Structure formats: structure tokens, C-alpha cells
Amino acid sequence: METPGTDTPTTKVLEQPWKKYWPPQADFRPTDEELEAKPWLTWKPDPNNPNEKPWYTWMNDPKYNPNLLRSAAKTDAAQQLSGSGSPSPNPTPTPEPNPTPTPEPKPEATIAEGG
């Protein structure tokens, strides 16, 4: 008979294909084809451009993210079925109106100003 608390929970291991590339090994030499298909394999932060975030470009480019093509095709098909005309390349959501007005700041000193 097992004693309570000695059971080891079974966990499902998730696939993490990026782990074979990270952390980069000193002897890692990607082929030109790998670099063309996966530029993030050799990307390093640029100290002169600390706000550079190339992954935004990579994730929004169908070349690197084939899921974009599938989701765009689904959106196009849904719009054609609904009869809403040609799809917009960058639909902008309409902001919801704010039902409660934002209070105006008071002229008194704030806590940050020592007031």
C-alpha cells in the first residue's frame, strides 16, 4: 500500500524545437539555407540600438510565419461569405467609447511632488 504524498505526478513534456538551437553552441555553424529561413539563429542585440525588436518583423512576415497565410485566407473567406466586400489589408478596430469621463487632474500638488 502506498503512503499518501509519495505519488509522483506525471507531466506531459511539451515539444520545444527551439531548444536544439538555444543556447547557441560555440561550434554552431548554420548553413546559408538555415540562416535565410531562420535569421533569429544568429541575431544578437545591438548595443547602439537597444530598442531593436526584429522578431516583430519576423512574426508578421509570411516568409517566417506560414500561419499568417492561413489566418489571412480564413479572414478573406469569411469576409467573402459575409458579403462585406474586399478585405482591408490592415483592419483597424474601432475603439469602444468610454462611458465614464476621465477626471481632470487637480491643480494641487501630487504625492510625487511632495504635496
Side-chain angles (χ1 to χ4, degrees):
M1 194 170 176
E2 292 183 12
T3 57
T6 59
D7 297 349
T8 55
T10 58
T11 58
K12 182 179 179 182
V13 177
L14 297 175
E15 273 191 55
Q16 297 175 334
W18 56 270
K19 280 196 171 186
K20 78 177 186 178
Y21 299 109
W22 194 262
Q25 304 298 317
D27 61 345
F28 176 65
R29 302 283 183 262
T31 64
D32 290 339
E33 291 82 23
E34 280 182 310
L35 286 177
E36 181 66 28
K38 301 172 185 164
W40 49 87
L41 295 179
T42 56
W43 180 81
K44 293 181 180 162
D46 180 6
N48 297 323
N49 189 3
N51 294 324
E52 178 186 29
K53 297 175 182 153
W55 49 89
Y56 287 131
T57 305
W58 299 331
M59 292 307 297
N60 291 307
D61 187 342
K63 176 180 176 182
Y64 305 118
N65 188 356
N67 292 332
L68 286 178
L69 295 174
R70 284 187 226 125
S71 66
K74 286 180 186 176
T75 302
D76 291 347
Q79 286 179 344
Q80 287 176 356
L81 288 174
S82 69
S84 62
S86 62
S88 171
N90 294 318
T92 305
T94 306
E96 293 292 323
N98 188 357
T100 54
T102 307
E104 292 294 321
K106 295 183 180 177
E108 295 92 32
T110 63
I111 294 173
E113 295 169 337

